[in-house]
Amino acid sequence: MTEAGKMYGNALYELAADEKLEDRLLDELTQVSQLMCAQPDYIKLLSLPSLPRAERCKALDEVFSGKIHAYLLNFLKLLCEKGEMRSLPDCQKQYKAAYNEAHGILEAVAVTAVPMTDAQTDALREKLARITGKTISLTQREDPACMGGVRLEVGGTQLDGTIQNRLDELGRLLRATV
């Protein structure tokens, strides 16, 4: 993550928190960031130093005025004026990290060979919440290489309870004893 992304993302979150707009701006910032990432030519256009800043800001107004909160539109204009539009995805990630920390949310990813049932997902979420004391935002991904079991990615830590990991560990143990 860029330093600009951290700085601007935190600043936007602080403003949103002061104005009680955290949820709204998180949703809108996420949508805008996804939209911009899907249109890299638009980010390039907004980053062109040869295009006057006023024109770049006008382009943002034409696309977003009345569709997103004025604070977010002004934030985008600030990034544009500072030549930091390419930092928008990092700003969004930092904003979400600050939001999650302030609201006691921990993001986790469960990787399984086959999709988990709703009951399994709920049970895993509840167990992680009991262990961590936080609200768990659980995302699931499938990876047939797991064969079975669950690999969890929680707060930068990976907990691997997959059959593939157990077989790999058994192989390491057997090679070590030979």
Side-chain angles (χ1 to χ4, degrees):
M1 183 175 304
T2 64
E3 286 301 314
K6 288 180 186 177
M7 181 181 70
Y8 288 116
N10 278 331
L12 181 61
Y13 179 78
E14 288 175 16
L15 172 65
D18 288 346
E19 299 292 326
K20 308 287 189 248
L21 293 167
E22 303 105 318
D23 294 327
R24 178 176 176 181
L25 289 187
L26 175 61
D27 291 341
E28 290 180 2
L29 178 60
T30 300
Q31 291 173 13
V32 168
S33 182
Q34 289 170 349
L35 177 68
M36 294 284 210
C37 288
Q39 301 294 327
D41 289 340
Y42 190 62
I43 290 179
K44 286 179 190 174
L45 174 74
L46 295 173
S47 302
L48 285 175
S50 60
L51 188 63
R53 287 183 179 150
E55 291 295 317
R56 289 183 271 161
C57 290
K58 183 179 174 188
L60 285 168
D61 272 330
E62 289 172 0
V63 173
F64 295 111
S65 186
K67 296 176 183 146
I68 60 175
H69 195 280
Y71 289 161
L72 183 55
L73 180 56
N74 288 338
F75 176 76
L76 294 173
K77 289 178 182 179
L78 177 69
L79 290 179
C80 191
E81 289 173 356
K82 297 292 185 182
E84 294 290 350
M85 281 306 294
R86 289 187 171 99
S87 297
L88 182 62
D90 288 341
C91 295
Q92 187 269 332
K93 288 176 190 167
Q94 185 60 39
Y95 183 102
K96 187 169 185 182
Y99 178 93
N100 286 349
E101 185 174 326
H103 292 88
I105 298 170
L106 183 62
E107 293 196 19
V109 178
V111 181
T112 57
V114 296
M116 294 190 312
T117 65
D118 289 342
Q120 290 170 325
T121 303
D122 291 342
L124 181 57
R125 186 180 293 113
E126 289 172 16
K127 185 166 187 167
L128 289 172
R130 278 195 311 274
I131 291 169
T132 63
K134 296 188 179 232
T135 301
I136 303 298
S137 173
L138 184 63
T139 306
Q140 185 188 351
R141 285 194 333 247
E142 287 89 37
D143 180 3
C146 291
M147 291 191 223
V150 179
R151 181 175 61 237
L152 286 174
E153 299 163 7
V154 182
T157 302
Q158 188 174 43
L159 306 168
D160 198 336
T162 62
I163 291 173
Q164 183 61 52
N165 184 57
R166 291 178 184 174
L167 289 173
D168 291 346
E169 183 63 28
L170 181 60
R172 284 190 291 273
L173 287 172
L174 289 173
R175 283 188 295 278
T177 59
V178 174

